[in-house]
Amino acid sequence: MKPGLQRRDFLKLAGACGLLAQGGLALAAGEREPHSARIAAAWRGPNPTDTYYAGTLLADWGRKKLEILSAVPLPTRPHGLLPELDGSLLVAGVRPGTWLLRIDPEGKVARQLDIDASADVLLNGHAIHNATGDLVFTTETDFASGRGRIGVRDRATLKKLDEWESGGLEPHQLLLDANGHLVIANGGIPRNRADKKFDLPRMDSSLVRLDGRTGKLLRQWKLDDSRLSLRHLAWSMAPDGERRLGIAMQAEHGDAAQRSRAPVLAVLEGDALIVPTRANDGFGYGGDLAAAYNGGFVVSSNQAGLAQLWHPGAPEKLTPVVELQEAYAMAEWSGPQPGGGVLVATALGLVRWHPVAKPVFLAWPKPMALDNHWVLVSEA
């Protein structure tokens, strides 16, 4: 990375901390931070035709070095990553997905499920465990009907045991709520088998809650603007214990100027789905999302090279915390007390932002392009 870019990035990070203080959000000095972090990630080489890998990266904060601990070649481009309690990593192929793959703690393929590309139902790139950990839920699309599906799979074998309606069109990411029910972002975009969008005027994006035991539709929320696609999800907890669900959105309006003004974040506050701010990234593209300081969120936009903090104490604002090319994959990082930081993958390396800890940049260990998502697995 060029020194000027690194310096500029650090100035942006420091400026964000200053804005927090000006808004009455100043923090006390933090405790000692962890020495290192293990991050589950997916990447390829610098060229679009290079092989994709999934594995584990080690961020050593003291040595200011990033290392690859394990790397497993993948059949095609991946998307969602799901760490498991036994140290394994479940990886889903990008939409329309034809494979699920489990990597064991030693960095070897332990299980692979392959789906024929001509099958009616294919994967949409994300998975989550149920509350008891014996099942895996996957977002899927039934191309025969065009409707969204939730695959209910045995955790060990990945074999499908049941199939539920997703409550909408094109389900993307899904999480569990505090009661073990599924919360699903139905992106609402009609797509064909080649993943081409069509007939966008009939978009039907929604947020739904399904019973985590039966798949029964419990609740559905929609925004007034049907051309805002609800995509990625994160839970964030405020100091008083209140949980908020953040939803990163991507604008699908036909007019570029309208897309450039579109909001990128929705929030589920109690039982109300709201758009707290019209501030955006200039593209209307919320790429990834992570929980951040005191009930807030950081939403990234790789198109703008930008990651921005939203905080409930200043709900009308988005504060830039990272400005660097291809700022995309996000992971929550507590760090020293009071926590609330994030790890951001960029074109040049890992950027660590935290309200009180110093910003850190770690260059990639070799030429590589990180994919859309990564997850913090453990710290030491």
Side-chain angles (χ1 to χ4, degrees), residues 265-267 274-278 310 315-317:
L265 178 71
V267 177
I274 63 171
V275 176
T277 176
R278 301 293 300 185
W310 176 86
E316 74 285 356
K317 297 179 180 179

Side-chain angles (χ1 to χ4, degrees), residues 45 58 115 117-119 154-155 162 242 245 252 257-258 270 273 281 292 340 351 361-362:
L58 178 67
I115 304 171
S118 64
D154 178 78
R155 195 210 75 86
D162 202 354
E242 181 184 2
L245 182 72
E252 296 291 342
Q258 194 172 0
L273 181 64
D281 64 337
V351 174
F361 172 84
L362 303 180

Side-chain angles (χ1 to χ4, degrees), residues 233-246:
L233 305 172
W235 286 107
S236 187
M237 185 173 292
D240 61 5
E242 181 184 2
R243 297 180 87 212
R244 292 180 178 85
L245 182 72

